[in-house]
Amino acid sequence: MPHRLLLAALVAATVFPSTAAAAVCGAGNGAWQAAAASGSADRALPASTRMRVEVRTMRTGGEQRVVALRTNRLAVTRGARRVAVRTASGRTIVAARLSGRGWRTVEVTLDAVADRVGLRVDGGRRASARARVAPERSVRLGGTGGQVAAAKVAFVPDCSAAPAAAASAAVPGVGAAGSATAKPTAVKPSAGVGSGVAAPVAPAAPAQPAIGNDPATETAAACVTCPFAPTSFWNAPLAASAPLDQRSSTWVAELRRQLATTNPWINTTTYSTPVYTVPAGQPTVRVTLDTTAAPLQQAFERVPIPAGAKPAAGSDAHMVVWQPATDTMWELWLASQKADGWHARWGGRMTGVSTNPGYFTAPNPGWGATATSLPLLGGLMRTAELQAGRIDHALAFAIPHTKLWKSWSWPAQRSDGDTDSADAIAEGARFRLPADLDIDALKLPPVTAAIARAVQRYGMVLRDKSGAVSFYAEAPTGADPYPALFKTYPNLLFAKFPWDRLQALRTDMRAPVTGS
């Protein structure tokens, strides 16, 4: 493809991505296509299933950012002794050794079909690692800590999506939802959360057989750009043969019974949580804890809450602050900003998020803004994931009534359950759709299909009680994206969801520690 045509298509991608994709695919028919550039610059691309970026780089001091793959939130950095591809939380996916500050050639490759990220230096041996990545749309060349030159960007556009995207772009405004109607209330009772009384504490979790790494049956890679450890139950794909609980059919029947009494829902602007991702230098504020808990108050002495932050609407008033540079996350329950500053009734601070198993651990397993101490960030559907139609982690959900608080299942660390019934579902229970279920054949709306695939690959975890059977999508911090995403009311999205095909995974039941 002539460079003039390719560059015109890349410029068009900035304003009309779908039109550019159609133009590039029409000219190149999905083959490798390349453009050369020099210096630091942004590159907008059609959605590209495969991509290769080669750049000459010289480090002048400290750590240098060489390339940023913005859609996947990955950065290629050069230090004194190695080049690495890292996630937004600082986790290294793949690295290659080097030394010195002179000019070097660094090449990074991304393959969204094979789910691999590769890296090599000066034309040497390529290092690669498996990583769940999406088609890339935006590349940033260069950054702080050095210089870049003679950059080359090559890509294979996702031509299978181009015609549909172009057709959608040709009809502005189609599918916009009408005015909102009242949503079912989803209020979580506050018993046991922030009461000032020591919460029931569960022992540490053993390895769980429901999370597998069976090469013969595994259908998805662990999410490397998600919070928590890749081996966390939130991020690790389920083995096709993951063992089921003996109560599976009973619990699925109970879930369907509760679905018959309320509409299923996705909490978005109300009873969810906003996520404020802040940089390393974000100024901190003191959050006053409106109960007596000295360790938690100490953890809230310096919280990097940005100006203008607001908790989610609803009586829980949840809010999450995530600082990838320090690998730390704070979450607040009953958060409010008063004349004397920020307040919260309960919550938690989690350090080492990128290696955390996915829940608050000793010495403070009772921390957390939910009834189970499972973090708000766990299982939360992010806006970008729903827009991409791909969710690479387990989902959190809630139901109106759960098994009495005297018992729960790992990974929950406690419970606020209210039902003393043999059929009641324990908080912490995990469900999945069968690995052999053909999701495509169900003809689900795009958002519902993405949810179904996530439940099939990673599962769904009973995190809380609510007024309806509810999933959680992050509360918007700006304009509300959900009317355009959903194109209808959330309960209608689940009209064809295969609730009857759900399976309950084997549980690991826990109870309060004696004396707690």
Side-chain angles (χ1 to χ4, degrees), residues 320-393:
V320 170
V321 178
W322 186 17
Q323 191 172 51
T326 61
D327 207 14
T328 305
M329 178 270 292
W330 295 259
E331 65 179 38
L332 309 178
W333 179 63
L334 294 185
S336 63
Q337 190 173 21
K338 302 179 180 180
D340 63 341
W342 280 93
H343 287 246
R345 178 72 177 177
W346 199 250
R349 181 188 67 187
M350 180 181 291
T351 58
V353 174
S354 64
T355 57
N356 184 275
Y359 50 85
F360 287 91
T361 58
N364 301 297
W367 283 6
T370 72
T372 54
S373 282
L374 297 177
L376 293 168
L377 203 53
L380 183 69
M381 293 184 286
R382 307 300 299 272
T383 304
E385 294 172 333
L386 292 173
Q387 289 170 335
R390 183 165 172 166
I391 305 168
D392 288 321
H393 56 78

Side-chain angles (χ1 to χ4, degrees), residues 39-63:
S40 299
D42 285 316
R43 291 289 177 271
L45 303 172
S48 302
T49 55
R50 299 177 68 191
M51 190 188 64
R52 180 172 63 246
V53 180
E54 181 182 300
V55 61
R56 289 283 290 168
T57 170
M58 181 172 69
R59 187 175 68 92
T60 56
E63 185 174 74

Side-chain angles (χ1 to χ4, degrees), residues 148-165:
V148 298
K152 298 179 181 179
V153 179
F155 62 94
V156 176
D158 184 6
C159 294
S160 62

